[in-house]
Amino acid sequence: MKAKIYIKYKEGILDPQGTVTNKALKSIDIKGIESIGIGKYIEMEFDKNISKDDAKKIAEESCKKMLANPNTETYSYIIED
Amino acid sequence: MKAKIYIKYKEGILDPQGTVTNKALKSIDIKGIESIGIGKYIEMEFDKNISKDDAKKIAEESCKKMLANPNTETYSYIIED
């Protein structure tokens, strides 16, 4: 059982890393991108005995209590077998 | 048109940030996680006139030439309207 967790900045929060990355892409002639937002992608592998419901609870609690900054970030996740 | 890009370490590449994060979660009593891998989640918003085919090409080229480190990372992406 595995969770794939996606964390990104909330709308309206400045993302300087994304802005600079877009500039860097333009500088090597990759064009057509309006904006880039850079967040975290976390793969969480669970112990063998963990059920799908448990996995959901653990992923939710991990995001809420540690992985995402509630002031500036939003998170979502999917659970996979 | 938007690309959602996921970058993670290749199998077998040491991910110290993931290891430490799992320890930190255990320390606040979140258990049942075998391992954690931490990568990047990039949302790329394209200019209005970009087609789906163009978007795919731009995402691919961006990953190949800049966003992912070919020595240590793998990438995947999906294109969304």
Side-chain angles (χ1 to χ4, degrees):
Chain A
M1 196 79 64
K2 179 192 276 189
K4 294 183 172 180
I5 300 171
Y6 314 104
I7 298 173
K8 62 174 183 171
Y9 284 118
K10 287 180 183 173
E11 287 293 321
I13 299 283
L14 188 70
D15 179 357
Q17 202 192 346
T19 307
V20 168
T21 301
N22 196 7
K23 273 189 198 160
L25 287 168
K26 281 188 210 308
S27 79
I28 61 165
D29 226 40
I30 298 179
K31 301 202 159 97
I33 302 166
E34 193 181 283
S35 65
I36 289 182
I38 298 193
K40 275 174 275 185
Y41 169 51
I42 298 173
E43 280 192 0
M44 183 177 275
E45 189 73 49
F46 296 101
D47 291 339
K48 299 264 175 295
N49 58 337
I50 296 293
S51 70
K52 195 156 188 172
D53 275 358
D54 285 344
K56 220 179 248 182
K57 271 180 218 150
I58 294 168
E60 177 68 33
E61 219 188 336
S62 299
C63 288
K64 212 170 176 175
K65 293 196 179 160
M66 180 164 298
L67 301 177
N69 178 344
N71 299 310
T72 57
E73 295 172 326
T74 59
Y75 60 86
S76 60
Y77 50 84
I78 53 171
I79 309 290
E80 280 184 1
D81 279 330
Chain B
M1 195 78 64
K2 181 192 274 188
K4 293 183 171 179
I5 300 172
Y6 314 104
I7 298 173
K8 61 174 185 172
Y9 284 119
K10 288 180 182 173
E11 286 293 321
I13 299 282
L14 189 70
D15 179 356
Q17 202 192 347
T19 308
V20 168
T21 302
N22 196 7
K23 273 189 197 159
L25 287 168
K26 281 188 210 305
S27 79
I28 60 165
D29 226 40
I30 297 180
K31 300 199 159 101
I33 302 167
E34 194 182 282
S35 64
I36 289 181
I38 299 193
K40 274 174 277 185
Y41 169 52
I42 298 173
E43 281 193 358
M44 183 176 277
E45 189 73 50
F46 296 102
D47 290 339
K48 298 264 175 296
N49 59 337
I50 296 293
S51 70
K52 196 157 187 170
D53 275 357
D54 285 344
K56 222 179 247 180
K57 270 180 219 151
I58 294 168
E60 177 68 33
E61 218 187 336
S62 299
C63 288
K64 214 170 175 174
K65 293 196 179 161
M66 181 165 296
L67 302 176
N69 178 345
N71 299 310
T72 56
E73 294 172 327
T74 59
Y75 60 87
S76 60
Y77 50 83
I78 53 171
I79 309 289
E80 280 184 1
D81 280 329

